[in-house]
């Protein structure tokens, strides 16, 4: 492992050169040449999730590779922007450097921050000043939560923003009780058969469960990922125990296989 700045600079320069070559109309890659900002956004989002998955699994060789894939997305966007005369990779880095210094005055300036909470308060104040300079006045405490976030993450961030201005339960118990209340409303919607009402109430249940996770200091996305991984592992075990297509088994046999797989994995 090397911390040689010149080696890092050379590696970045080579990466930028590779990306420019891929986008060169004269002999570049047809697929890369066809892409634009919009078309590569799904890949950017996917790579970010693959980084998160590598971290969750503590697979650090995989993390190294996935971070490279995510960096490629930044370079790809930057190359398209350079071709359109908007900005280039060096400007992306320069803006980031300025932002990091500006948002850490307790490190690079004369302010102080005694703990993590003080850092967060300063951070939000600086971000508000930045919005004002850009002509984006603070209209709501919920500003700054992208609509494009995955639903669980967006719900979590919206709730955290609201909590910062005191719009929150002060204890976990009433949140847990609210889960039961929302489930009752879902039952009523199910009884009515109204599909719109069912979807609305089901969404309320999910939103309230995210709120409960926040009060329990849990990451709802990580919790759901772990549950999905657990289900996948047990389901594959059921397939192995069955030794035949699961569609050949009735409900009682499937339930017995599931319970057996659960016992073996616990």
């Amino acid at each position: 492992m090397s911390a040689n700045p010149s080696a890092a600079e050379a590696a970045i320069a080579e990466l930028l050169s590779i990306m420019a070559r891929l986008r060169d109309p004269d002999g570049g890659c047809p697929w890369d040449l066809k892409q634009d900002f919009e078309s590569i956004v799904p890949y950017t989002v996917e790579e970010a999730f693959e980084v998160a998955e590598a971290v969750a699994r503590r697979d650090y060789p995989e993390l190294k590779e996935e971070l490279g894939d995510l960096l490629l997305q930044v370079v790809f966007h930057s190359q398209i922007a350079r071709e359109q005369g908007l900005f280039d990779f060096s400007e992306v880095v320069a803006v980031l450097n300025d932002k990091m210094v500006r948002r850490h005055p307790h490190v690079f300036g004369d302010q102080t921050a005694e703990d993590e909470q003080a850092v967060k308060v300063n951070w939000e104040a600086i971000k508000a000043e930045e919005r004002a300079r850009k002509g984006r006045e603070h209209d709501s405490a919920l500003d700054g939560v992208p609509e494009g976030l995955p639903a669980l993450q967006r719900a979590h961030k919206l709730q955290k923003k609201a909590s910062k201005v005191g719009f929150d339960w002060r204890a976990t118990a009433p949140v847990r009780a609210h889960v039961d209340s929302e489930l009752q409303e879902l039952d009523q919607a199910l009884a009515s058969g109204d599909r719109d009402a069912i979807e609305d109430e089901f969404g309320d249940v999910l939103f309230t469960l995210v709120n409960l996770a926040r009060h329990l200091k849990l990451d709802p996305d990580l919790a759901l990922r772990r549950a999905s991984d657990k289900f996948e592992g047990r389901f594959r075990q059921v397939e192995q125990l069955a030794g035949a297509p699961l569609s050949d088994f009735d409900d009682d046999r499937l339930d017995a296989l599931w319970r057996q797989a659960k016992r073996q994995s616990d």
Side-chain angles (χ1 to χ4, degrees), residues 82-245:
R82 187 180 73 81
E83 294 165 4
Q84 297 181 15
L86 301 174
F87 55 82
D88 63 17
F89 181 77
S90 65
E91 292 174 89
V92 172
V93 176
V95 168
L96 174 60
N97 290 343
D98 290 344
K99 182 186 296 184
M100 294 302 288
V101 172
R102 184 172 64 252
R103 291 186 178 180
H104 293 82
H106 54 289
V107 177
F108 301 103
D110 55 6
Q111 290 190 17
T112 60
E114 296 181 359
D115 54 29
E116 180 184 359
Q117 184 57 34
V119 172
K120 290 180 178 179
V121 170
N122 289 342
W123 183 277
E124 291 300 327
I126 293 168
K127 286 176 65 177
E129 292 174 2
E130 291 172 354
R131 284 194 297 267
R133 284 199 299 271
K134 294 177 180 178
R136 302 172 189 168
E137 294 297 336
H138 183 75
D139 296 322
S140 170
L142 301 182
D143 285 347
V145 179
E147 292 185 9
L149 280 177
L152 279 179
Q153 293 183 21
R154 184 163 183 259
H156 193 250
K157 282 185 173 291
L158 287 170
Q159 292 168 6
K160 285 178 65 177
K161 289 267 191 179
S163 178
K164 288 179 181 178
V165 295
F167 193 82
D168 197 4
W169 279 289
R170 298 186 182 279
T172 301
V175 187
R176 175 62 186 86
H178 195 58
V179 172
D180 290 336
S181 175
E182 293 294 350
L183 284 170
Q184 290 175 4
E185 292 183 15
L186 176 59
D187 287 339
Q188 293 169 5
L190 289 168
S192 74
D194 184 332
R195 297 299 301 174
D196 288 339
I198 292 170
E199 181 178 343
D200 188 56
E201 296 302 340
F202 186 77
D204 288 347
V205 170
L206 289 177
F207 192 83
T208 306
L209 284 171
V210 171
N211 209 3
L212 178 60
R214 185 174 58 84
H215 277 263
L216 294 172
K217 301 188 185 307
L218 298 174
D219 181 334
D221 188 74
L222 178 58
L224 183 57
R225 284 174 180 272
R226 291 180 64 179
S228 296
D229 289 344
K230 182 165 56 178
F231 171 80
E232 181 181 7
R234 289 176 178 172
F235 184 86
R236 291 179 183 276
Q237 204 163 0
V238 166
E239 290 177 316
Q240 292 177 358
L241 290 169

Side-chain angles (χ1 to χ4, degrees), residues 28-47:
C29 171
W31 186 90
D32 288 278
L33 283 165
K34 187 178 179 181
Q35 305 312 309
D36 56 24
F37 290 126
E38 288 76 15
S39 68
I40 62 173
V41 162
Y43 300 101
T44 307
V45 173
E46 181 180 343
E47 295 300 348

